[in-house]
Amino acid sequence: MAGDEALALSAADKFDRRSQFFPMTAAAIGAANTALVKDPKLQFKSFDGLRNNSCYSSTYSLLLDKRIHPISSVSSSNSPAVIRAVSTPLKPETSIETKRSKVEIFKEQSNFIRYPLNEELLTDAPNINEAATQLIKFHGSYQQYNRDERGARSYSFMLRTKNPCGKVSNQLYLAMDDLADQFGIGTLRLTTRQTFQLHGVVKKDLKTVMSTIIKNMGSTLGACGDLNRNVLAPAAPFVREDYLFAQQTADNIAALLTPQSGFYYDMWVDGEKFMTAEPPEVVKARNDNSHGTNFPDSAEPIYGTQFLPRKFKVAVTVPTDNSVDLLTNDIGVVVVSDDNGVPQGFNIYVGGGMGRTHRMETTFPRLAEPLGYVPKEDILYAVKAIVVTQRENGRRDDRRYSRMKYLIDSWGIEKFRSVVEQYYGKKFEPSRELPEWEFKSHLGWHEQGDGRLFCGLHVDNGRVKGTMKKTLREIIEKYNLNVRITPNQNIVLCDIRPSWKRPITVALAQGGLLPPTYVDPLNITAMACPALPLCPLAITEAERGIPDLLRRVRGVFEKVGLQYNESIVVRVTGCPNGCARPYMAELGLVGDGPNSYQIWLGGTPAQTTLARTFMNKGVPKSSSRYYLKLFTDKETYETVDALAHIENKTAHQLAMEVIRNFAASQQNGKSK
C-alpha cells in the first residue's frame, strides 16, 4: 500500500492543480463526417483490433450458419429460425474458421440464455457448471465462494438488482431488507451503479429470492452479463424539468435495451411476466428497422442470440452534475436545455470504461469523448445505433478487448461516428457547449421542489448492516418512504414531509447515520469494491482495508498541516477491473497481488481526468517505515537527496518539509 510520502504528494497535488473539464466545444467533434452511406447491403470493414496478426471478422457475431439449438424443455415460445442482421450479409464459406471466445459459444448454444442453466439449477450440487456460471450473469447473479475459508469451497450466489436512476420503491426496499436476513448474510450492499447487491444466497434458495424480488416490482435482469447494465442518473429527486427529463430518459434507455425473449421470467417465475407498460416511444424505437439495426423476427430484435461482446454501461445527467461519473461509461448522455430551462436535446459521449489487465499495456482505462448532439426525440434511435455498432464490430475473440472503448480507440472517433450515423440514419450535430462539471453527493437535507424534502445519507462503502440497517428499515417502513441509491454507494430518503424532519433526524443519529457535516470529508467521497472474501476476481482487500487507509491519509494530512475539512478522492479496488472507478480518483489503489496495490494519482474531484500510474508495482499494504525512494523516480530522488545533503538532512526530511511549507502557504493564501 502507499506510504505516507505518496499520500502527502497526492494531497499537495490536490491543491496545486487546476480543474480540467470536458472538451465541450464544437471543434472537439472534429472534421466533417463522410457522406452517409444508404446502401443496406454495405459490408463494413473488419475490425482488426489491437494486434496486427488478428484475423478477427466483425461479422462473425451474426452467427454464420450454426445458429440456435432449441431446447424444447425450457423454451416458452417457438424458437426462431436462422437470424442475421440485414445490415451484414452472409460471407462466403472459407476454410478459416473465425475465432470466438468460449463465452460466445455458451451464448450461441443457450437458447437465449436458458440452457444449461435451467438444468444446473435442478441438481443437488451446491454450484453450477462453467457454462451456467456465465449465463446466470445475464440473470443478475454471480457464483462465488468464501475465500477466507479453507478446505471444500462454500459456494453461494451474489444477486444484483437493476434500478435505473437508483430508484427503489418502499415495497422493494423492505423486501430486499427481509431477503438479506432470511437468505443472505444479513447485509445489503449499495453499489457504484445505483443497485443493491445481496450476498450469500445458496443455490437451493435462488428461485425463492429471485421470484420475491420480481413480485415486489424489482428485477435483476441484465444487472450482469454481456448487455446493457443499470442506467445511471442523478439520484436527487429534484422536481425540476431537467432532472426529471434526465431520469425519464434513463428509464426509457433501460427499457429499450432490456432483453425481450422471456428467458428471465421463464427461469424464475415459470414464464409469468411482471412488467409495467412501456412508453410507446420505446416500443417504436425498438421495433424500428429502417436502417438495418434489428434481427427480423427474432425473440431478441436488438441483441440476437449473441447479445453484446461484453458489458455495456450508460449514464444520463444534467449539466454541472457529475455524480454519475459520466465519462467512465460506454455512453454518456447530457440533457441540453434552452434559456428557459426546457430540454431540447442531448450531448452524447462514447467510449469510456475502467477495466484493464495488469501488465498488459494494450488494456487501459479510457474516458468517453464527444460524439455529437441529437434532438430529444432522437435519443433512443441514437443510443440504439451506438449499441448496434458495438454489437456488429466489437471484438468477440478476446474478451479483454471486447469493450466499446477498444473499438473506438482502434477506429478513431471519426470512423466510429460515420458508422453509427449509418445505423442512426442522420448526421450528428456539433456538441453544445456546457458549463463546468462538479461532483455532487446529494447528501444532507434538501428541498425537492414539491413541498417535500429528501435526505441523503452517507453509508461507508455502501454496506448497510447492523444498527444502521435496523434504523433505516424502521424509518422507511414507518414513514412509507421511497429511496434512491447514489453512484457513490450512498442512499437517499425521498418524499419526506417537513414535519417529519426532526423525528427522522433524531432516529438517524441514534442509528449512527449522521449528517454529512459530522462525517470525515475523506469518507464522503471514498469508495471501495467488496473484493475479498467473496469476489472471485479479487486479488487483495478493498472494502475491509479502506477504513485503515483513510485513517492513515487523515494522519498524513495532520502531519503536513492540512485542515480537517480538506479532502481528496480516494478509491480502492481489489483487482484491476475498476468497479469502484479508481482510475478517476486523486488517490487510487488497485490491487495487484496479495496485500499489495498499484498507486494511481492525478484524478480530479469533478471526475473529469484520468489518474496516472504513480507506482506500477506492488507496494506492501502495511509497513513500519516508508522511504521517499519507494515513491518517486530515480532522477527526482537523487535531486532531492543532493539538496537535502546541503542542509544536512535526509531526502525524506526535506520532502516532508517542502510539503508542510506548501500546505502552510495555501492556508495563508486562504486567510488573506
Side-chain angles (χ1 to χ4, degrees):
M1 190 166 63
D4 292 350
E5 293 87 350
L7 303 180
L9 286 170
S10 178
D13 180 67
K14 147 83 174 175
F15 298 105
D16 187 49
R17 206 172 44 241
R18 297 293 183 263
S19 296
Q20 300 181 43
F21 301 96
F22 301 167
M24 295 299 173
T25 63
I29 298 301
N33 298 318
T34 57
L36 178 63
V37 180
K38 297 183 178 179
D39 183 0
K41 298 182 179 179
L42 176 68
Q43 176 76 53
F44 296 137
K45 183 178 179 181
S46 295
F47 169 39
D48 294 328
L50 300 167
R51 301 177 183 174
N52 293 332
N53 64 347
S54 172
C55 63
Y56 170 74
S57 168
S58 65
T59 59
Y60 89 84
S61 64
L62 301 177
L63 296 183
L64 302 179
D65 289 328
K66 295 181 180 180
R67 301 314 311 149
I68 306 161
H69 301 277
I71 310 296
S72 58
S73 62
V74 298
S75 177
S76 63
S77 59
N78 293 328
S79 299
V82 175
I83 299 166
R84 299 184 182 92
V86 296
S87 59
T88 310
L90 180 65
K91 279 190 170 183
E93 289 284 347
T94 65
S95 59
I96 301 176
E97 184 176 352
T98 304
K99 181 182 177 183
R100 293 190 289 167
S101 72
K102 187 183 296 186
V103 176
E104 291 299 314
I105 306 299
F106 292 155
K107 289 187 287 186
E108 180 182 7
Q109 297 177 348
S110 71
N111 188 28
F112 293 106
I113 319 300
R114 293 178 172 88
Y115 175 82
L117 176 60
N118 60 324
E119 294 184 354
E120 286 292 303
L121 291 174
L122 299 178
T123 69
D124 293 331
N127 62 314
I128 55 179
N129 67 19
E130 182 182 6
T133 298
Q134 293 297 328
L135 298 180
I136 201 170
K137 295 177 183 179
F138 291 76
H139 296 257
S141 180
Y142 283 88
Q143 180 170 267
Q144 302 180 333
Y145 64 94
N146 191 330
R147 295 169 63 187
D148 281 348
E149 298 177 357
R150 295 295 176 261
R153 291 184 176 182
S154 177
Y155 286 101
S156 66
F157 292 80
M158 179 272 284
L159 274 60
R160 181 185 297 153
T161 60
K162 202 169 185 182
N163 309 89
C165 316
K167 295 178 181 177
V168 181
S169 69
N170 177 271
Q171 177 183 351
L172 179 59
Y173 184 92
L174 298 178
M176 293 300 297
D177 185 79
D178 287 337
L179 290 172
D181 292 337
Q182 296 172 21
F183 300 101
I185 60 174
T187 72
L188 285 172
R189 186 59 150 73
L190 314 178
T191 78
T192 59
R193 291 201 71 79
Q194 297 184 276
T195 66
F196 286 117
Q197 285 185 177
L198 181 64
H199 292 90
V201 179
V202 296
K203 192 176 85 171
K204 68 180 180 62
D205 294 329
L206 273 174
K207 188 166 185 177
T208 299
V209 175
M210 287 285 204
S211 62
T212 300
I213 292 172
I214 294 169
K215 292 174 182 178
N216 283 278
M217 307 311 293
S219 177
T220 64
L221 172 59
C224 322
D226 298 343
L227 71 176
N228 181 56
R229 302 289 186 88
N230 198 50
V231 181
L232 304 188
F238 290 125
V239 183
R240 251 175 54 181
E241 194 162 5
D242 55 349
Y243 273 87
L244 293 174
F245 191 59
Q247 291 157 5
Q248 177 190 346
T249 301
D251 285 335
N252 287 349
I253 292 173
L256 173 73
L257 300 177
T258 295
Q260 300 296 301
S261 54
F263 62 83
Y264 180 68
Y265 299 99
D266 287 351
M267 198 75 67
W268 308 113
V269 287
D270 301 321
E272 183 180 1
K273 292 190 176 183
F274 292 77
M275 300 176 68
T276 56
E278 292 181 317
E281 61 267 28
V282 172
V283 177
K284 182 180 178 182
R286 182 189 299 121
N287 293 337
D288 178 74
N289 197 29
S290 56
H291 301 287
T293 55
N294 289 17
F295 292 91
D297 303 318
S298 172
E300 292 290 351
I302 295 177
Y303 291 128
T305 61
Q306 297 305 101
F307 289 78
L308 298 180
R310 279 297 297 272
K311 66 179 112 174
F312 199 89
K313 298 181 177 181
V314 181
V316 184
T317 191
V318 301
T320 75
D321 188 342
N322 198 24
S323 60
V324 298
D325 265 4
L326 183 79
L327 297 184
T328 65
N329 291 271
D330 292 275
I331 301 178
V333 178
V334 185
V335 175
V336 176
S337 301
D338 62 19
D339 293 339
N340 297 318
V342 179
Q344 299 298 309
F346 301 90
N347 279 359
I348 298 178
Y349 300 82
V350 292
M354 292 284 96
R356 49 181 285 276
T357 302
H358 282 316
R359 287 165 282 282
M360 291 190 66
E361 297 303 316
T362 50
T363 66
F364 43 80
R366 188 180 192 275
L367 294 186
E369 56 187 304
L371 182 68
Y373 169 89
V374 297
K376 60 184 180 182
E377 60 271 15
D378 286 351
I379 185 59
L380 297 181
Y381 299 90
V383 166
K384 182 180 175 183
I386 296 167
V387 170
V388 170
T389 300
Q390 163 66 354
R391 182 194 75 195
E392 296 295 293
N393 300 283
R395 287 183 62 168
R396 294 179 185 262
D397 61 328
D398 189 335
R399 290 176 65 81
R400 288 172 295 189
Y401 303 107
S402 292
R403 291 290 300 275
M404 194 172 76
K405 64 181 177 180
Y406 295 114
L407 177 62
I408 295 176
D409 188 74
S410 174
W411 278 5
I413 191 64
E414 295 298 334
K415 178 179 177 180
F416 182 83
R417 182 186 297 114
S418 178
V419 174
V420 172
E421 286 173 340
Q422 294 167 28
Y423 290 118
Y424 175 37
K426 299 180 181 180
K427 294 283 189 180
F428 287 100
E429 299 178 31
S431 293
R432 305 301 194 250
E433 188 171 352
L434 297 176
E436 296 178 348
W437 294 94
E438 61 182 282
F439 169 74
K440 296 186 177 182
S441 70
H442 302 300
L443 297 181
W445 287 92
H446 303 270
E447 294 184 0
Q448 292 184 173
D450 60 355
R452 297 209 170 192
L453 308 173
F454 73 86
C455 181
L457 301 169
H458 172 72
V459 180
D460 279 336
N461 304 307
R463 183 67 67 179
V464 180
K465 61 182 180 179
T467 302
M468 174 201 304
K469 180 174 177 293
K470 180 181 178 182
T471 300
L472 279 174
R473 188 206 171 89
E474 290 173 349
I475 293 172
I476 291 168
E477 188 169 29
K478 178 178 180 179
Y479 295 98
N480 195 31
L481 301 180
N482 297 319
V483 306
R484 297 192 185 184
I485 302 169
T486 81
N488 226 54
Q489 303 174 316
N490 296 318
I491 193 166
V492 176
L493 307 182
C494 307
D495 306 316
I496 301 171
R497 294 180 184 176
S499 61
W500 298 344
K501 180 178 179 180
R502 182 175 178 81
I504 287 177
T505 301
V506 172
L508 289 171
Q510 292 172 343
L513 289 155
L514 301 175
T517 51
Y518 293 94
V519 180
D520 190 323
L522 285 170
N523 292 65
I524 293 292
T525 56
M527 290 201 298
C529 67
L532 297 175
L534 292 176
C535 179
L537 302 177
I539 305 170
T540 191
E541 300 285 359
E543 180 182 341
R544 297 193 300 193
I546 197 173
D548 178 64
L549 169 68
L550 294 177
R551 285 191 291 269
R552 291 187 55 219
V553 174
R554 178 55 64 195
V556 171
F557 275 26
E558 292 172 353
K559 286 181 182 178
V560 301
L562 294 177
Q563 299 299 311
Y564 180 79
N565 62 347
E566 303 289 10
S567 180
I568 58 173
V569 177
V570 181
R571 294 177 177 177
V572 184
T573 58
C575 78
N577 289 320
C579 293
R581 304 189 284 272
Y583 310 112
M584 303 299 289
E586 293 173 280
L587 172 60
L589 278 82
V590 180
D592 75 336
N595 297 322
S596 69
Y597 302 83
Q598 286 183 336
I599 301 172
W600 290 67
L601 300 176
T604 56
Q607 308 302 301
T608 56
T609 304
L610 269 179
R612 295 188 179 274
T613 310
F614 182 66
M615 285 208 69
N616 201 31
K617 64 178 182 178
V619 180
K621 183 176 70 170
S622 58
S623 178
S624 59
R625 188 69 188 270
Y626 298 90
Y627 296 95
L628 179 67
K629 66 174 66 179
L630 285 174
F631 303 105
T632 188
D633 59 273
K634 180 179 179 182
E635 182 180 354
T636 302
Y637 174 77
E638 290 177 347
T639 301
V640 174
D641 189 50
L643 291 172
H645 276 94
I646 296 174
E647 300 185 30
N648 197 28
K649 299 175 181 177
T650 67
H652 174 271
Q653 288 171 331
L654 179 60
M656 295 303 292
E657 184 177 298
V658 170
I659 292 170
R660 290 190 183 97
N661 290 339
F662 173 80
S665 68
Q666 293 295 298
Q667 288 301 117
N668 291 337
K670 290 180 181 179
S671 63
K672 292 177 181 179

